Amino acid sequence: PVYLLTGLVVGERLPVEDLEPLPSLGLLLLLFSVGLEFGPDRLRELSGKALRAGFFDALALPLGFLLGLLAGLDLRGALLLAGVIYISSSAVIVKLIIDLRRAANPESEVVLGVLVLEDLVIALLLALLGGQGPAGFLGGVTLALAYFLFARFLGPRLVRFMEGLSDELILLAAFPAGTALLFHAVGASEGVGAFLSGVIAAGLGLRERFEHLFGPVRDLGVALFFLVVGAEALGLLRGLTPWAVGLVLLGLLLKLPLNHLGGARAGLGRKRRLYSALYLVPR
């Protein structure tokens, strides 16, 4: 929050272009870190809980679509508004969980699983709406399958090869950034690519080494990312209308009870349900 508020205070005086590519790289490394926490074994373990909680979370989509129609938007605009109300900020939430050292808590596991489902649903929604085009979506799916096949059959050889490399060479290889660039090249989401590379790295037993190497760069990049977001938000805040503020409040009021119910369906206690619902508020 301090970085966001500092960005708002500094505003247009911040040389946003001069800071790149560190903010973008920090965001990709943050998503890579999320993937590291979700190796294939943990994804299988959390899928049931995430699906149960994610079902109630996804009810925000039809409710947001109805709000969009009532606001006078066309079908495409209403669908986009539904996505905005539905999707939570993975970057903000993951950063909070890491900073508060609550990654091992039961509600954090459910929240992170729901975030993964949200990202997948939004990727599909944007593809259907022409955000990156159906070709980009299919290209991303094909590339993801190719990565999993590569990890399945050639992963052990890759691990043995990387064991002989120095830390500097590992950093220069920029495994998450390279995957993100490949996904971007086929018209898919580079964020999904960075997340996928983290999942595969965790499955290959490289979690600890990558966390040690990329952690400091990630933290610096994420700090600059939030600083830039705060600076760029200043122009948007000048155009706020009471109607827009009302839609924001309605969206949050819709999500809180839905995620509380989702936490209950995931088997969380009363206190943990409240935590999970509050975690999924940031936009």
Side-chain angles (χ1 to χ4, degrees), residues 204-217:
L204 295 176
L206 299 170
R207 179 182 290 131
E208 290 186 6
R209 188 176 187 188
F210 277 163
E211 275 287 352
H212 169 72
L213 290 176
F214 289 111
V217 183

Side-chain angles (χ1 to χ4, degrees), residues 23-277:
S24 298
L25 180 61
L27 180 60
L28 290 178
L29 289 177
L30 181 63
L31 293 169
F32 175 70
S33 296
V34 177
L36 284 178
E37 294 300 321
F38 277 81
D41 52 339
R42 295 194 64 189
L43 281 175
R44 284 193 293 269
E45 292 172 5
L46 298 176
S47 60
K49 291 181 181 180
L51 284 173
R52 288 193 291 272
F55 171 78
F56 286 93
D57 182 62
L59 292 178
L61 280 169
L63 293 174
F65 179 70
L66 181 60
L67 274 179
L69 294 179
L70 293 175
L73 299 175
D74 59 14
L75 290 178
R76 187 174 187 277
L79 281 171
L80 285 172
L81 181 64
V84 170
I85 290 175
Y86 167 62
I87 190 75
S88 307
S89 174
S90 299
V92 174
I93 296 167
V94 172
K95 181 65 176 168
L96 283 172
I97 290 175
I98 291 173
D99 284 354
L100 296 174
R101 298 181 180 178
R102 301 180 68 91
N105 289 17
E107 72 274 10
S108 298
E109 293 189 352
V110 172
V111 167
L112 291 172
V114 169
L115 289 175
V116 172
L117 288 173
E118 285 187 353
D119 289 341
L120 294 175
V121 171
I122 286 298
L124 177 61
L125 179 64
L126 290 177
L128 293 175
L129 292 175
Q132 294 177 326
F137 178 72
L138 291 175
V141 172
T142 303
L143 199 55
L145 290 174
Y147 262 75
F148 278 115
L149 288 173
F150 176 82
R152 174 70 177 84
F153 295 106
L154 298 176
R157 295 182 184 178
L158 177 64
V159 171
R160 287 195 296 271
F161 171 73
M162 294 180 68
E163 285 175 351
L165 296 180
S166 65
D167 291 348
E168 292 81 3
L169 285 175
I170 295 293
L171 282 170
L172 287 172
F175 183 44
T179 306
L181 287 173
L182 277 177
F183 270 71
H184 179 74
V186 300
S189 168
E190 55 265 36
V192 173
F195 170 78
L196 174 66
S197 65
V199 172
I200 292 174
L204 295 176
L206 299 170
R207 179 182 290 131
E208 290 186 6
R209 188 176 187 188
F210 277 163
E211 275 287 352
H212 169 72
L213 290 176
F214 289 111
V217 183
R218 175 200 64 204
D219 292 342
L220 173 63
V222 169
L224 292 173
F225 168 74
F226 288 129
L227 192 69
V228 169
V229 169
E232 293 182 338
L234 193 61
L236 294 174
L237 290 175
R238 294 195 189 103
L240 272 183
T241 63
W243 183 232
V245 173
L247 281 176
V248 169
L249 294 176
L250 268 176
L252 294 181
L253 289 175
L254 284 174
K255 285 283 285 189
L256 280 170
L258 289 176
N259 289 127
H260 193 273
L261 286 170
R265 288 291 295 157
L268 297 177
R270 185 174 299 177
K271 187 177 180 180
R272 302 292 181 184
R273 293 177 215 166
L274 179 61
Y275 285 161
S276 66

